Amino acid sequence: MMSLNVEKIRAEFPVLHQEVNGKPLVYFDNAATTQKPKSVIDALGNYYKLDNSNIHRGAHTLADRATRYFEDTRTALKAFINAKEDSEIIFTKGTTESINLVASTFGRKFLKQGDEILISTMEHHANIVPWQMLCEESGAVLKVIPIDESGEIIFEEFEKLLSEKTKILAIVHASNALGTINPVKEMIQAAKKQGAKVLLDGAQSTSHLHIDVQELDCDFLCFSAHKLFGPTGLGVLYGKRELLEVMPPYQGGGEMIKEVSFDKTTYNEIPFKFEAGTPNIADVIAFKKAIEFINTLGKDAIKQHEDALLDYAVNALSEIKGFIPVGTARDKVSVVSFNINGMHPFDVGVMLDANGIAVRTGHHCTQPLMQRFGLEGTVRASFSVYNTQTEIDQMVSSVIKIAKIKNK
Ligand code: PMP
């Protein structure tokens, strides 16, 4: 496999070329959001400079052009996750809205008292709270799959929790807090045997792993453009046609209707049934450039680069006295979560920032997961395609100094 030309890649990302607190920026907060290549930034500007227009109903050239570019992104996304058709791709505000959409349309229509929804201990709040809200309303029951000390799903416990009462399995593909990659293929197969529908939270997996929704056979996949080098405020809901068709609309308004009268309204075809109002046109158009950026590098090369960084970082950090890893699963995306003995994660984060190193600290929107480990939070360094071993060396030498404060 070709290794990546990281210097060339870095040149595409203007934000990386700056100093923070007098030090070259080391951006290790990629699980929170990735940086944007010039092609994405330029596409945003070009849309407003050249094509700005509302889509889908204009008779004029600009509207036509904007509509075509907008729909081109849908087609690119269809190929990106191997959906069967463009209309299975719905644009939302992000993973959070995609999950809420499924919970409040599919969930409200099909779940009743006593049904069960299965999630795991390592879910992001976005894949917990919408289901809790649905349970409150419908009388369904939320069940939680336990994890072991390494941060892996305990598969036998998962199988024990599955029954014909399980109507939805909603599971994170890769954990934002630990990096664990869950065995989703096997989990989907097991859930399907009980007739459950499966929603995958792909917020952290779509940028690192090959995703083929037909091969996985998931019913829904949710992800956010901003974690894939694309703009903020934009997400995707993939759903199987037969499910999207029987789900009621999420919001009412323009675009999502076929005909409106005061007596009766009929709804549009999918995907438009779920895209009420003027969508996030500029960001959708620019997102295509992010997909092209990933496709050009290739997911295998990206994963290989990130895996090498992860191994390198874990090996070096593990040598440090006081370093406590959190989440040591065998199969991980490029996330290192850790604590320093005797120190608050936030203090570690602030000290790293003083050296120009951007990491995330806290509960990472996974409070139940932190409770499972008896922690308030962790320090999280997450790597992307533009990161280098030299940057990891910089972080490691900073962590050595920080750890010495309490670990002589
Ligand atoms: N799930 C996971 C695993 C995430 O990492 C995130 C973002 N941190 C979300 C859901 C929510 O994504 P967004 O805030 O983009 O809607």
Side-chain angles (χ1 to χ4, degrees):
M1 195 191 305
M2 289 278 290
S3 67
L4 298 174
N5 182 342
V6 180
E7 276 322 301
K8 197 161 158 238
I9 293 169
R10 289 180 69 81
E12 297 296 316
F13 288 83
V15 79
L16 297 177
H17 308 283
Q18 61 177 297
E19 293 204 337
V20 168
N21 296 322
K23 304 275 166 47
L25 168 66
V26 173
Y27 186 78
F28 283 164
D29 197 16
N30 294 289
T33 198
T34 51
Q35 297 301 346
K36 320 302 172 202
K38 268 194 281 202
S39 58
V40 169
I41 300 167
D42 290 348
L44 284 170
N46 285 341
Y47 167 74
Y48 287 117
K49 278 187 232 157
L50 303 170
D51 308 315
N52 180 43
S53 193
N54 211 331
I55 55 169
H56 289 143
R57 45 190 169 238
H60 60 86
T61 304
L62 257 60
D64 219 39
R65 208 154 64 206
T67 304
R68 206 170 60 242
Y69 293 161
F70 183 92
E71 291 302 325
D72 281 351
T73 302
R74 208 189 297 275
T75 306
L77 284 161
K78 175 207 137 195
F80 189 67
I81 59 168
N82 195 30
K84 266 195 196 140
E85 29 176 315
D86 287 12
S87 42
E88 293 178 322
I89 304 291
I90 294 159
F91 291 115
T92 64
K93 282 196 309 203
T95 308
T96 304
E97 190 176 49
S98 298
I99 298 172
N100 274 278
L101 191 160
V102 176
S104 48
T105 61
F106 180 87
R108 277 203 195 132
K109 179 155 177 187
F110 294 108
L111 266 78
K112 52 180 194 330
Q113 180 94 26
D115 286 344
E116 292 179 0
I117 300 166
L118 202 47
I119 61 172
S120 83
T121 308
M122 70 179 92
E123 299 311 315
H124 188 282
H125 297 163
N127 201 29
I128 302 174
V129 185
W131 305 117
Q132 286 176 324
M133 289 160 70
L134 175 63
C135 287
E136 234 167 73
E137 220 180 285
S138 64
V141 181
L142 192 66
K143 298 266 167 159
V144 183
I145 310 162
I147 60 169
D148 64 18
E149 273 306 301
S150 74
E152 290 183 7
I153 295 265
I154 306 173
F155 206 86
E156 310 81 73
E157 296 297 326
F158 159 62
E159 285 178 312
K160 277 191 219 152
L161 285 167
L162 275 176
S163 75
E164 72 279 6
K165 284 193 199 157
T166 316
K167 292 295 176 290
I168 297 176
L169 166 67
I171 184 85
V172 70
H173 193 174
S175 156
N176 61 311
L178 306 177
T180 310
I181 300 172
N182 284 318
V184 290
K185 182 119 200 256
E186 293 75 16
M187 294 181 81
I188 292 168
Q189 279 167 359
K192 292 269 143 140
K193 281 196 196 132
Q194 301 291 345
K197 301 291 180 232
V198 183
L199 175 144
L200 279 191
D201 173 349
Q204 297 293 337
S205 58
T206 31
S207 61
H208 309 280
L209 309 175
H210 271 295
I211 311 272
D212 181 332
V213 288
Q214 293 189 63
E215 199 208 321
L216 284 171
D217 197 26
C218 58
D219 297 290
F220 302 103
L221 171 72
C222 307
F223 56 102
S224 301
H226 71 97
K227 297 192 196 270
L228 287 157
F229 312 105
T232 51
L234 174 65
V236 172
L237 169 66
Y238 155 80
K240 283 185 180 164
R241 168 178 274 280
E242 63 266 30
L243 295 175
L244 294 175
E245 273 181 345
V246 296
M247 282 155 56
Y250 181 48
Q251 294 179 325
E255 284 280 308
M256 53 75 71
I257 54 90
K258 204 170 260 168
E259 254 180 89
V260 179
S261 77
F262 286 121
D263 297 325
K264 185 174 165 53
T265 290
T266 51
Y267 304 130
N268 208 337
E269 310 286 322
I270 62 163
F272 310 112
K273 182 171 88 174
F274 294 104
E275 293 180 354
T278 301
N280 196 347
I281 304 169
D283 291 325
V284 168
I285 290 174
F287 189 26
K288 178 152 179 277
K289 298 291 174 193
I291 299 301
E292 286 166 1
F293 171 77
I294 295 173
N295 287 342
T296 304
L297 298 179
K299 285 247 182 106
D300 288 340
I302 294 174
K303 179 84 170 54
Q304 192 189 35
H305 177 74
E306 292 174 346
D307 282 353
L309 292 177
L310 180 68
D311 280 353
Y312 187 74
V314 169
N315 287 335
L317 289 166
S318 303
E319 298 292 313
I320 301 172
K321 196 171 167 205
F323 172 78
I324 307 165
V326 183
T328 50
R330 287 156 293 181
D331 207 6
K332 281 180 49 152
V333 292
S334 48
V335 167
V336 193
S337 232
F338 64 96
N339 272 306
I340 299 293
N341 181 41
M343 301 193 74
H344 194 282
F346 181 75
D347 295 337
V348 177
V350 170
M351 287 186 235
L352 287 171
D353 181 56
N355 289 313
I357 301 160
V359 294
R360 188 137 297 236
T361 65
H363 55 62
H364 317 295
C365 293
T366 55
Q367 280 182 336
L369 175 65
M370 294 298 127
Q371 286 153 17
R372 155 68 180 81
F373 285 107
L375 297 170
E376 212 178 305
T378 70
V379 181
R380 181 187 71 187
S382 48
F383 314 122
S384 187
V385 70
Y386 36 68
N387 291 127
T388 64
Q389 288 196 354
T390 313
E391 290 181 307
I392 291 175
D393 290 340
Q394 276 166 260
M395 177 177 77
V396 170
S397 61
S398 293
V399 173
I400 289 171
K401 284 186 208 133
I402 295 166
K404 270 200 185 128
I405 300 171
K406 297 274 175 180
N407 298 273
K408 296 272 187 231

